[in-house]
Amino acid sequence: MRADARRNRDRIVEAARAVVAERGIDAPMELIARRAEVGVGTVYRRFPDRHALIAAMAGQYVHEIDDALTRAEAQEPGPWAAVRSFVMWSADQGRGALAAALADLPQELFDAMPEFTRVKSGMVGRLDALVAAAQERGDMRADVGVADVMRLLSLFTCHADLPQERAAHYLLVMLDGMEKRSDGAGKRPDGAGDGLGGAQEKGGARS
């Protein structure tokens, strides 16, 4: 692909991400073209249909999340700090709006994107390993699993209309609830429900 064609493609994807975050997954292609400052014909030359453009957006997004987890693993002092850092980055309001829009897509569309599925699966596996390491070190409560962390992310990314300062506050409160405390908090009382994620689910709490 020529350099100018690559630049046009990247501009279209970035514009599509912004417009979809604002208007939803059915945002007009004409609006995306205007935001990218290209003609509609240029959009369709790069992406023959809406699904092709959505796949490009989703692929870019999942790689960004995977890279963010890599940075958290490398930069934070321990596994629990890495989990917290990754969750806070992922739930940022701008990224959350796009995630909320992509969450409206039918599952069969994701099934047709093997690269998205591969990267997401690997990312979740690495996050699960961080959760296990944090629990092994006694930093994270034992009745929380990676499924709970993913649900927490879903909760905030799919409600991106929350005021940023309140969303950040609620997220920190929930993360604090996942941390194991020296007073014994973090052990589920007998008869308690499964909370954010069930122990019976894959990636749920470890015994």
Side-chain angles (χ1 to χ4, degrees):
M1 184 182 292
R2 299 194 323 268
D4 59 339
R6 168 62 67 180
R7 283 193 298 271
N8 274 346
R9 184 187 187 282
D10 291 345
R11 286 169 62 188
I12 292 166
V13 173
E14 287 301 323
R17 289 180 57 157
V19 171
V20 165
E22 296 166 6
R23 300 281 295 270
I25 210 70
D26 295 321
M29 298 290 271
E30 292 80 5
L31 182 57
I32 293 171
R34 286 201 300 272
R35 185 70 63 91
E37 299 181 343
V38 299
V40 176
T42 299
V43 174
Y44 280 106
R45 278 195 296 276
R46 301 287 172 255
F47 304 98
D49 55 36
R50 182 180 296 275
H51 286 175
L53 181 53
I54 290 170
M57 283 191 298
Q60 187 183 77
Y61 176 69
V62 77
H63 277 287
E64 286 179 1
I65 293 178
D66 189 59
D67 290 345
L69 182 59
T70 298
R71 286 195 304 275
E73 289 175 300
Q75 296 174 3
E76 297 299 333
W80 173 233
V83 171
R84 287 183 66 106
S85 174
F86 172 72
V87 169
M88 293 299 294
W89 182 94
S90 300
D92 174 82
Q93 194 170 36
R95 282 179 286 272
L98 177 61
L102 292 176
D104 290 335
L105 294 175
Q107 182 59 43
E108 55 265 26
L109 190 56
F110 288 107
D111 292 341
M113 295 188 285
E115 176 69 3
F116 179 94
T117 301
R118 182 189 68 78
V119 175
K120 181 181 177 183
S121 177
M123 182 272 293
V124 172
R126 289 163 56 213
L127 183 59
D128 187 41
L130 279 176
V131 168
Q135 291 169 332
E136 184 68 24
R137 287 174 50 148
D139 296 331
M140 188 173 180
R141 49 192 293 168
D143 61 342
V144 171
V146 70
D148 301 292
V149 177
M150 296 302 291
R151 281 193 180 86
L152 179 62
L153 279 175
S154 177
L155 176 66
F156 282 90
T157 57
C158 291
H159 293 83
D161 55 339
L162 278 172
Q164 178 68 26
E165 66 279 3
R166 299 312 299 164
H169 172 72
Y170 297 146
L171 184 57
L172 285 171
V173 168
M174 290 188 178
L175 283 170
D176 286 347
M178 290 183 173
E179 189 168 355
K180 186 174 181 180
R181 303 204 318 251
S182 58
D183 61 5
K187 182 177 180 181
R188 178 179 304 182
D190 291 341
D194 282 336
L196 277 174
Q200 291 79 15
E201 295 187 38
K202 182 180 180 181
R206 292 176 172 82
S207 55

